[in-house]
């Protein structure tokens, strides 16, 4: 708590902090804080907001007591309150420490600084949770019909954004989302031995504070260790996965139309980053909310080779 008090009291940060109350759990606090943040942005769309927390999101099914890892919390908080993140830019509306598009759009630590002009267009957090629960139900039915694949990651409550996990999906859920991040990028000299081209940041080192702003994504597709290079390469080279994979554009477009009734604009990063992005962009332009069915249906009877 003292660390956050110091950040709020430092005049060079240009932050205005107000204590709105105390809640019994981290999960309750996350939802209530985001509701207050959303209400503020609806009232003051020209401002920006910063979301920080003294706990880290866990990973579903992983028994690891990292929720209160102060080294990581300090690094993520310093990143989102840095001048690089606080500066308003036309090319970015949400800034965080490290951004990853897989398994869903998210920043490590779920901390961020965002433009209120973007935040105001998000669904209110309580409505978003209900909408994500509904979307997950539809997705599970589609999986049973073999209309979608889950070759990159399994379906878990966290990956689907169910219930309390919806708070981790919320900030990156809108089709107008334009992320940027500031944490250093560590490249691996021996990708075959490390399992990929990138290494996780070492939060015990002062180098984790060597911030450099850039548009995202610019790292591995998912946090280091969550997705093997071999699996991802095979998926991107297989059309019957590219056009059905829930964690690629098939799932994202389904959610964007269900939640916000629109696809990303033509200049969005998503069309360049995801496999077969141009085909999906043209399909969304032609078919609208029917794009996922139109483009994935020819592959519904296809098997998956791995």
């Amino acid at each position: 708590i003292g660390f956050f008090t110091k950040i709020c009291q430092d005049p060079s940060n240009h932050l205005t902090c107000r204590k709105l109350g105390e809640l019994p759990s981290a999960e309750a606090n996350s939802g209530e804080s985001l509701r207050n943040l959303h209400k503020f942005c609806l009232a003051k769309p020209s401002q920006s907001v910063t979301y920080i927390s003294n706990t880290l999101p866990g990973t579903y099914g992983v028994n690891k007591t990292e929720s209160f890892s102060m080294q990581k919390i300090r690094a993520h908080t310093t990143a989102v309150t840095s001048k690089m993140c606080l500066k308003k830019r036309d090319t970015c509306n949400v800034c965080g420490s490290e951004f990853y598009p897989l398994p869903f759009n998210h920043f490590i630590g779920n901390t961020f600084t965002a433009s209120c002009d973007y935040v105001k267009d998000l669904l209110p957090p309580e409505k978003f949770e209900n909408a994500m629960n509904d979307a997950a139900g539809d997705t599970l039915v589609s999986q049973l019909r073999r209309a979608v694949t889950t070759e990159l990651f399994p379906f878990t409550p966290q990956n689907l954004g169910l219930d309390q996990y919806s708070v981790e999906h919320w900030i990156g859920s809108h089709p107008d989302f334009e992320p940027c991040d500031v944490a250093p990028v560590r490249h691996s000299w021996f990708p075959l031995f490390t399992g990929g081209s990138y290494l996780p940041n070492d939060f015990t080192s002062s180098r984790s504070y060597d911030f450099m702003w850039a548009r995202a994504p610019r790292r591995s597709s998912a946090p280091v260790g969550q997705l093997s290079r071999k699996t991802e390469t095979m998926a991107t080279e297989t059309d019957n996965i590219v056009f059905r994979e829930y964690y690629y554009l098939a799932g994202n477009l389904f959610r964007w139309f269900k939640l916000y009734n629109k696809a990303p604009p033509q200049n969005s990063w998503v069309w360049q980053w995801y496999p077969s992005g141009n085909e999906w962009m043209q399909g969304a332009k032609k078919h609208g909310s029917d794009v996922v069915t139109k483009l994935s249906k020819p592959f519904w009877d296809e098997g998956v080779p791995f």
Side-chain angles (χ1 to χ4, degrees), residues 116-149:
C116 275
D117 191 49
Y118 168 78
V119 173
K120 69 176 175 56
D121 292 332
L122 294 172
L123 285 176
E126 61 276 15
K127 289 186 179 179
F128 180 75
E129 180 178 340
N130 293 332
M132 288 294 283
N133 288 345
D134 289 344
D138 293 343
T139 300
L140 291 170
V141 172
S142 295
Q143 187 189 35
L144 291 173
R145 295 170 56 203
R146 295 174 58 83
V148 298
T149 61

Side-chain angles (χ1 to χ4, degrees), residues 155-208:
F155 275 162
T156 68
Q158 187 172 31
N159 288 346
L160 289 169
L162 286 169
D163 300 322
Q164 74 268 24
Y165 293 109
S166 66
V167 298
E168 298 173 37
H169 290 243
W170 184 70
I171 194 61
S173 67
H174 199 282
D176 293 337
F177 177 55
E178 291 288 344
C180 56
D181 62 20
V182 298
V185 178
R186 295 183 66 208
H187 294 277
S188 171
W189 289 98
F190 307 101
L192 291 178
F193 294 98
T194 58
S197 302
Y198 300 89
L199 296 171
N201 276 311
D202 179 7
F203 293 98
T204 64
S205 167
S206 61
R207 291 185 178 180
S208 64

Side-chain angles (χ1 to χ4, degrees), residues 16 40-41 43-49 88 114-119:
T16 301
F40 175 87
C41 284
K44 298 187 177 183
S46 64
Q47 300 294 312
S48 61
V49 287
K88 291 187 177 181
S115 158
C116 275
D117 191 49
Y118 168 78
V119 173

